[in-house]
Amino acid sequence: MTPRPPGPDQPTTTSRPQGPTQSPTQSPSQGSSQGPRAGTASGAEAGARAWAELLRLPALFTVPGDALAGAATTGNRPNPRTLLAIASSLCLYEAGMALNDWADQAEDALERPHRPLPSGRIRPPAALVAAGALTAAGLALAARAGRAALAVAAPLAATVWAYDLALKRTPAGPAAMATARGLDLLLGATATGGSARPALPSALTLATHTLAVTTVSRGETRGGSPLAPLAALATTGTLAWTLTRTPQVPGTAPSRCPAAVPARHPAADTLRTVLAAAFVATSGRPLLHAALNPSPPLTQRAVGGGIRAMIPLQAALAARSGALASALLTAALAPAARRFARKVSVT
């Protein structure tokens, strides 16, 4: 949903708009020995890669943890409605990715011509149709999870479309992105337990990190002041500190039970401390580099680090609520995200 140019470590093959390796005017006999089938396979592979770039597939690994962290705050184990919330989140997230590039196609033609739309590998109407279809699918899945979940998914979808079409380049842009991420966590809570109240502190934590990362992302293409990375670095440290403080009481909101402290579980305490440290390491180091030198490449790396840091942050939030299994499952997504990011850039 945030406009991001390709990172400095993106494979050079992604910047080539040619598509299939076989020329349209080349006869089968002039191509490979496998004839037309080879050209068809090559075209299908190129098309699949183009859609993978458009939808930023590696970034999908940062999405399930939202619902799992939200579900953890309810005191209930993940259930089939939690899975529906995850599926809904994935659809709405991908809708935002497709809509983002559709809205940015004029700008990308000048600054990022290698992207799927300006390079001609995907037609703009197809991206817009995909955004609409994914939004409809996300809302339908949320409706299956219950009215409470749909009541959160509807404003989430509206926020995604408002951000991409109107708010992205305004001062309200980072706040809109943060709101979307917070609502995504609340979607998991409402689908699992029927109420968003217990998840409000966790949603605020995730939204704060998103706000900081989105603010830094505004300097991706041209660089900028070190103030945004410095502020994000301070935010990272503050959030990590709060994660290691008193655990949240699952199923309650702080305003309803301000003095309640659950029995401390050594394994949960140790796990959330480790995850908080992983969050700082993933996000903090590239932010420090960007603060020292706010050039576009280092800023892009800082944004990429902030996106990947979503996973240990979500896992730490789940561990803070005592959901060890959800925390470990979320944390296990991090290696897969790194592996796929080497093939398709998330920026």
Side-chain angles (χ1 to χ4, degrees):
M1 289 178 274
T2 304
R4 303 182 185 99
D9 56 349
Q10 183 174 353
T12 56
T13 54
T14 60
S15 61
R16 298 176 183 173
Q18 293 95 336
T21 56
Q22 184 177 0
S23 170
T25 60
Q26 187 178 29
S27 67
S29 61
Q30 293 172 311
S32 68
S33 58
Q34 297 180 18
R37 291 186 178 182
T40 301
S42 178
E45 182 179 353
R49 185 174 186 85
W51 279 99
E53 290 179 36
L54 178 74
L55 299 176
R56 276 59 152 206
L57 291 187
L60 278 182
F61 292 98
T62 71
V63 178
D66 288 350
L68 290 174
T73 66
T74 68
N76 301 313
R77 292 182 178 181
N79 53 44
R81 292 189 301 276
T82 311
L83 296 179
L84 287 171
I86 292 174
S88 174
S89 296
L90 291 171
C91 288
L92 294 177
Y93 189 88
E94 291 291 50
M97 290 298 184
L99 185 63
N100 172 79
D101 279 23
W102 181 84
D104 284 355
Q105 54 186 299
E107 176 185 329
D108 286 347
L110 297 175
E111 297 183 355
R112 297 173 285 267
H114 59 272
R115 280 189 168 180
L117 267 60
S119 67
R121 290 177 290 155
I122 295 177
R123 297 180 60 191
L128 183 60
V129 169
L134 286 165
T135 300
L139 293 174
L141 288 165
R144 290 289 303 273
R147 292 183 179 180
L150 181 60
V152 175
L156 171 57
T159 302
V160 169
W161 281 72
Y163 173 83
D164 282 330
L165 298 182
L167 302 177
K168 186 185 306 179
R169 294 173 183 81
T170 71
M177 179 66 75
T179 299
R181 202 83 204 205
L183 286 171
D184 201 34
L185 189 146
L186 296 180
L187 177 58
T190 54
T192 304
S195 173
R197 283 181 60 84
L200 290 176
S202 292
L204 180 60
T205 298
L206 187 62
T208 300
H209 173 67
T210 305
L211 177 66
V213 174
T214 307
T215 302
V216 173
S217 74
R218 296 197 156 196
E220 283 183 311
T221 57
R222 299 179 179 87
S225 168
L227 293 180
L230 279 174
L233 185 60
T235 300
T236 297
T238 301
L239 293 179
W241 180 80
T242 60
L243 287 171
T244 59
R245 304 297 293 173
T246 304
Q248 182 178 333
V249 183
T252 64
S255 60
R256 295 169 55 191
C257 192
V261 178
R264 301 188 62 90
H265 195 297
D269 288 347
T270 301
L271 181 59
R272 65 192 172 96
T273 300
V274 170
L275 291 169
F279 165 64
V280 171
T282 304
S283 183
R285 184 176 179 181
L287 282 173
L288 178 60
H289 291 165
L292 295 174
N293 178 13
S295 63
L298 292 181
T299 302
Q300 291 163 19
R301 291 181 183 177
V303 173
I307 295 172
R308 291 189 296 273
M310 294 279 186
I311 296 177
L313 176 57
Q314 296 157 343
L317 290 171
R320 187 176 68 174
S321 297
L324 299 183
S326 292
L328 291 172
L329 177 60
T330 301
L333 296 173
R338 288 194 299 269
R339 187 179 304 112
F340 278 88
R342 296 189 186 104
K343 300 179 179 181
V344 181
S345 176
V346 299
T347 58

